[in-house]
Amino acid sequence: MSTIATLPEEELQLSLLGDDERGYDFVTAETIEQLRKLSFPEARVFSLYLDMTPERLKDAPWTIRYDHLAENMRAQIADKDSRKMFDVVAENIKELVRNEYGRPQARGLALFAIPERVSFKGKHKIKYDVFIHYHLPEAPVDTLLWDKTAELTPLLMQMDEHEPTGVVLADGQHGRFFLYYLGEAAEYTISEWDDVAQRTRAVGMGAHNHEQWLAEQRKRHLRHLVGFIEKIGRQAGWRWLAIGGVDQIPEDLSKELPKTWRDKLIGTFALPLEANYNQVRDAAAPLVQAAEAQAEKETLEAWIGLLAQKTKAVSGLEETVQALQQGRIQTLLAAAGYAHDGRECQQCHALTTMEDETCPYCGGETVRVTDIVNTAVTQVFGQNGRVEIVRHPDNLALMQQHGNIGAILRF
């Protein structure tokens, strides 16, 4: 039997295994932390996000969108040498994406590159200090930046919207544990098993004792599974829990959960223990999507309720960016696809929809920003706030009635 029940939680080491035939990459909080550290004193980070969904590619091929992004970025680079380096890197990465890094299965691409050395003679040759790419299960907002640090807002938006979900797959003697996150499933390298040999069926007067013994073993196994759920779930930060298995195992295990974990349970499903990662993912996906839709609805209803009470909530872009400048936003709500231009202060980074070239807060110079909604999202993350991108059609109609953007406030 596994020793996790007696293993101190602080010594529990979690790692994941995953292999997805759809070609997505599994991006975790640890991945984000590594990307945050990408910074070289004299170098620039090339950050690229592309929406690669079939419908978007049909509407506007990625190459056209890429060229437009690169042209806009180039216009913002004042230093001649940096602009020359950018031109070569942008050209090289376009060819790499075209020939090597595009996957039709993925709905989005994220790429980060830091050039070490560039040869400007003849055919340009580039050596990269860092070259990292991820194929995303969800489409990001098209973004291209050339800056001192990696641009992480599109990834952070996806991760903030999709809470980690624990998935348990069990039968009468074994248990497997998975993480479902960002449309992906990966398996923890920890499993539970009951190594008590099953007795042969008793007859006569022994039959009752045999059935009782089976019931006791089943109960013991379920309690061990609960122990795994509690320890792994706490350390991995599971927001929700889904349970799969054969026969009555999912329902019986659900009944053994303490209230804290029953409240996190979003459903059960039938699946054999030997199911592969894709089968686990596809079984858990509709449960998670329903839970996310419900969470979106509850957040929206809470916001509208606070607006009606005229307390700790704002709506509309100008009121929202004012609250952001004051550090008051707990949860930012924005309709999917909503964008708006505006201005950002170069000194205090306050945002405004006004055309004033002078910041109303500090008197600093403001510059035009093509999408202050996206900039606001970045700043909310920087203030440890949450972001809810509203996608459900019924909820989008409500968002439109309130200016497509708003916030629940801390104070």
Side-chain angles (χ1 to χ4, degrees):
M1 185 179 304
S2 174
T3 59
I4 192 172
T6 59
L7 179 67
E9 195 162 332
E10 62 273 12
E11 297 180 18
L12 179 61
Q13 299 295 317
L14 297 180
S15 57
L16 291 165
L17 297 172
D19 180 20
D20 195 326
E21 65 188 15
R22 296 186 182 181
Y24 299 149
D25 292 314
F26 202 76
V27 180
T28 65
E30 290 74 19
T31 305
I32 293 294
E33 190 57 34
Q34 292 171 3
L35 292 171
R36 285 187 193 277
K37 296 176 182 178
L38 287 183
S39 179
F40 288 70
E42 302 300 324
R44 289 292 183 269
V45 183
F46 187 99
S47 301
L48 172 68
Y49 294 87
L50 287 173
D51 181 338
M52 304 294 272
T53 57
E55 54 270 26
R56 184 68 172 125
L57 291 173
K58 182 179 179 180
D59 177 60
W62 73 265
T63 50
I64 294 176
R65 290 181 280 129
Y66 180 94
D67 289 343
H68 181 67
L69 292 168
E71 181 181 346
N72 287 344
M73 187 67 250
R74 187 182 191 279
Q76 300 176 45
I77 304 172
D79 181 77
K80 181 179 178 181
D81 291 338
S82 182
R83 188 165 61 246
K84 187 177 180 181
M85 173 78 80
F86 171 80
D87 287 342
V88 176
V89 172
E91 179 185 353
N92 177 255
I93 287 179
K94 182 179 179 180
E95 289 306 307
L96 290 173
V97 173
R98 188 198 309 274
N99 297 325
E100 299 182 44
Y101 296 107
R103 288 187 195 169
Q105 303 99 321
R107 297 179 63 80
L109 173 69
L111 185 151
F112 308 93
I114 301 178
E116 176 191 0
R117 186 172 62 251
V118 175
S119 171
F120 294 102
K121 297 179 180 180
K123 188 175 182 180
H124 300 142
K125 295 182 179 179
I126 303 178
K127 182 179 180 181
Y128 291 100
D129 267 321
V130 175
F131 194 96
I132 305 170
H133 65 282
Y134 303 102
H135 296 90
L136 307 175
E138 184 172 295
V141 176
D142 287 343
T143 305
L144 192 159
L145 284 180
W146 178 251
D147 209 343
K148 293 181 179 179
T149 57
E151 169 57 33
L152 300 178
T153 300
L155 271 183
L156 290 171
M157 287 177 66
Q158 288 196 7
M159 297 182 72
D160 191 70
E161 284 191 77
H162 300 283
E163 303 281 2
T165 299
V167 182
V168 180
L169 192 58
D171 64 11
Q173 287 184 279
H174 306 83
R176 297 169 65 194
F177 303 87
F178 300 82
L179 175 66
Y180 180 94
Y181 193 35
L182 291 170
E184 275 296 332
E187 184 172 10
Y188 293 101
T189 54
I190 291 174
S191 60
E192 193 272 349
W193 67 96
D194 186 345
D195 60 4
V196 177
Q198 293 295 314
R199 296 180 181 178
T200 57
R201 180 173 179 81
V203 295
M205 293 295 292
H208 174 74
N209 291 336
H210 175 72
E211 294 299 326
Q212 184 177 8
W213 180 88
L214 288 176
E216 290 172 354
Q217 295 307 309
R218 184 185 184 90
K219 192 84 166 178
R220 184 178 68 111
H221 173 56
L222 294 175
R223 286 174 178 170
H224 284 148
L225 288 172
V226 170
F228 273 65
I229 289 169
E230 292 183 301
K231 290 190 176 182
I232 298 176
R234 276 195 297 265
Q235 188 172 123
W238 292 349
R239 165 73 182 278
W240 292 306
L241 173 67
I243 298 176
V246 297
D247 302 325
Q248 283 295 116
I249 286 290
E251 288 71 22
D252 291 346
L253 179 56
S254 301
K255 294 174 184 177
E256 292 294 325
L257 293 171
K259 185 178 185 306
T260 301
W261 286 97
R262 283 200 307 274
D263 291 344
K264 295 176 183 287
L265 183 65
I266 57 175
T268 62
F269 57 89
L271 207 63
L273 187 76
E274 61 274 13
N276 62 37
Y277 301 133
N278 294 322
Q279 290 172 314
V280 172
R281 178 204 57 220
D282 293 343
L287 299 178
V288 175
Q289 290 164 5
E292 289 176 342
Q294 181 62 28
E296 175 184 295
K297 180 181 178 182
E298 290 173 358
T299 301
L300 186 63
E301 289 176 344
W303 173 58
I304 292 175
L306 291 170
L307 285 174
Q309 298 171 26
K310 298 182 179 180
T311 178
K312 292 187 178 181
V314 293
S315 64
L317 185 55
E318 189 59 33
E319 286 190 21
T320 301
V321 295
Q322 288 177 10
L324 176 61
Q325 196 278 334
Q326 298 162 0
R328 299 168 61 202
I329 293 183
Q330 175 179 306
T331 302
L332 177 72
L333 297 93
Y338 177 61
H340 199 289
D341 62 352
R343 303 188 74 86
E344 179 181 10
C345 176
Q346 293 289 82
Q347 291 183 188
C348 71
H349 299 289
L351 302 174
T352 180
T353 59
M354 307 302 178
E355 291 299 321
D356 296 340
E357 296 183 0
T358 301
C359 176
Y361 299 100
C362 73
E365 180 186 358
T366 66
V367 295
R368 178 160 294 283
V369 178
T370 56
D371 183 6
I372 61 172
V373 176
N374 188 58
T375 306
V377 168
T378 302
Q379 293 189 13
V380 168
F381 284 128
Q383 296 176 9
N384 295 317
R386 291 192 64 253
V387 175
E388 183 73 56
I389 304 298
V390 178
R391 302 181 185 278
H392 192 278
D394 292 342
N395 295 338
L396 283 172
L398 289 173
M399 288 296 301
Q400 190 173 15
Q401 294 173 21
H402 294 84
N404 287 311
I405 192 169
I408 297 173
L409 306 179
R410 294 188 173 101
F411 56 90

